[in-house]
Amino acid sequence: GNPVARLTGLPPATADLRFRGFSAVGVHPQRLQPENFDYAQVRPAAMWNPTSGAYTRYGEVRDLLARSDDRLVVMGSGDEIRLQFTADHLPRLPAGWTRDFLLYVDGWAKDADPNTAAGSSVEPLPFHAMRGYPDTGPPPAAAAAATLNTRPALRLIRPLAARR
């Protein structure tokens, strides 16, 4: 018969947005596999500047993650959200059962690729009801974004100076 499964929601106890750095990249010698990233090996600097714009301030962001809505955590290159969970209230498992954990994510990714619409800045932010990107109307959570997205993009790499 079909296996029996039970889904139990487990909201994070904490969600801390912070700068972490860049995981070491592993590339198959013949490029037969996708890149992999080694979380244990981290570099503090990137080889590129973050996309210009306003990012979510560092610190607790659990409230922004509580619902799939248009209030976003805007993360930059090298950022991470450290989630911690308390499993004390999970139901006991029946005999012979094992527990797996799944992370459900609702969001968007954007980069500075030349083929990315509006790729030179963080804004405009996406939202669930947009008809296309970029949408002409303001996102429903624009007021919240103005108070939360207060961290400017850093300029990590200086532009090349013109030769004289």
PDB file of all heavy atoms in Angstrom, residues 107-111 116:
ATOM      1  N   GLY A 107       9.867  32.569  -2.409  1.00  0.00           N
ATOM      2  CA  GLY A 107      10.640  33.780  -2.648  1.00  0.00           C
ATOM      3  C   GLY A 107      11.131  33.863  -4.072  1.00  0.00           C
ATOM      4  O   GLY A 107      10.740  33.079  -4.936  1.00  0.00           O
ATOM      5  N   TRP A 108      11.992  34.814  -4.309  1.00  0.00           N
ATOM      6  CA  TRP A 108      12.547  35.084  -5.629  1.00  0.00           C
ATOM      7  C   TRP A 108      14.052  35.218  -5.526  1.00  0.00           C
ATOM      8  O   TRP A 108      14.583  35.605  -4.483  1.00  0.00           O
ATOM      9  CB  TRP A 108      11.983  36.396  -6.190  1.00  0.00           C
ATOM     10  CG  TRP A 108      10.522  36.353  -6.485  1.00  0.00           C
ATOM     11  CD1 TRP A 108       9.937  36.011  -7.666  1.00  0.00           C
ATOM     12  CD2 TRP A 108       9.448  36.664  -5.600  1.00  0.00           C
ATOM     13  NE1 TRP A 108       8.570  36.085  -7.573  1.00  0.00           N
ATOM     14  CE2 TRP A 108       8.245  36.487  -6.307  1.00  0.00           C
ATOM     15  CE3 TRP A 108       9.376  37.067  -4.272  1.00  0.00           C
ATOM     16  CZ2 TRP A 108       6.993  36.713  -5.750  1.00  0.00           C
ATOM     17  CZ3 TRP A 108       8.142  37.286  -3.707  1.00  0.00           C
ATOM     18  CH2 TRP A 108       6.972  37.108  -4.447  1.00  0.00           C
ATOM     19  N   ALA A 109      14.721  34.922  -6.601  1.00  0.00           N
ATOM     20  CA  ALA A 109      16.169  35.134  -6.697  1.00  0.00           C
ATOM     21  C   ALA A 109      16.411  36.076  -7.867  1.00  0.00           C
ATOM     22  O   ALA A 109      15.746  35.991  -8.897  1.00  0.00           O
ATOM     23  CB  ALA A 109      16.890  33.809  -6.926  1.00  0.00           C
ATOM     24  N   LYS A 110      17.355  36.971  -7.684  1.00  0.00           N
ATOM     25  CA  LYS A 110      17.666  37.947  -8.729  1.00  0.00           C
ATOM     26  C   LYS A 110      19.172  38.145  -8.743  1.00  0.00           C
ATOM     27  O   LYS A 110      19.805  38.201  -7.693  1.00  0.00           O
ATOM     28  CB  LYS A 110      16.953  39.262  -8.421  1.00  0.00           C
ATOM     29  CG  LYS A 110      17.149  40.345  -9.466  1.00  0.00           C
ATOM     30  CD  LYS A 110      16.335  41.569  -9.072  1.00  0.00           C
ATOM     31  CE  LYS A 110      16.500  42.694 -10.049  1.00  0.00           C
ATOM     32  NZ  LYS A 110      15.721  43.878  -9.639  1.00  0.00           N
ATOM     33  N   ASP A 111      19.732  38.239  -9.938  1.00  0.00           N
ATOM     34  CA  ASP A 111      21.164  38.491 -10.030  1.00  0.00           C
ATOM     35  C   ASP A 111      21.414  39.611 -11.027  1.00  0.00           C
ATOM     36  O   ASP A 111      20.485  40.164 -11.607  1.00  0.00           O
ATOM     37  CB  ASP A 111      21.929  37.225 -10.402  1.00  0.00           C
ATOM     38  CG  ASP A 111      21.518  36.650 -11.741  1.00  0.00           C
ATOM     39  OD1 ASP A 111      21.008  37.399 -12.597  1.00  0.00           O
ATOM     40  OD2 ASP A 111      21.702  35.441 -11.943  1.00  0.00           O
ATOM     41  N   THR A 116      18.944  39.546 -16.986  1.00  0.00           N
ATOM     42  CA  THR A 116      17.984  39.680 -15.895  1.00  0.00           C
ATOM     43  C   THR A 116      17.299  41.044 -15.991  1.00  0.00           C
ATOM     44  O   THR A 116      17.981  42.066 -16.072  1.00  0.00           O
ATOM     45  CB  THR A 116      18.686  39.552 -14.523  1.00  0.00           C
ATOM     46  OG1 THR A 116      19.279  38.254 -14.429  1.00  0.00           O
ATOM     47  CG2 THR A 116      17.714  39.749 -13.382  1.00  0.00           C
TER      48      THR A 116
END
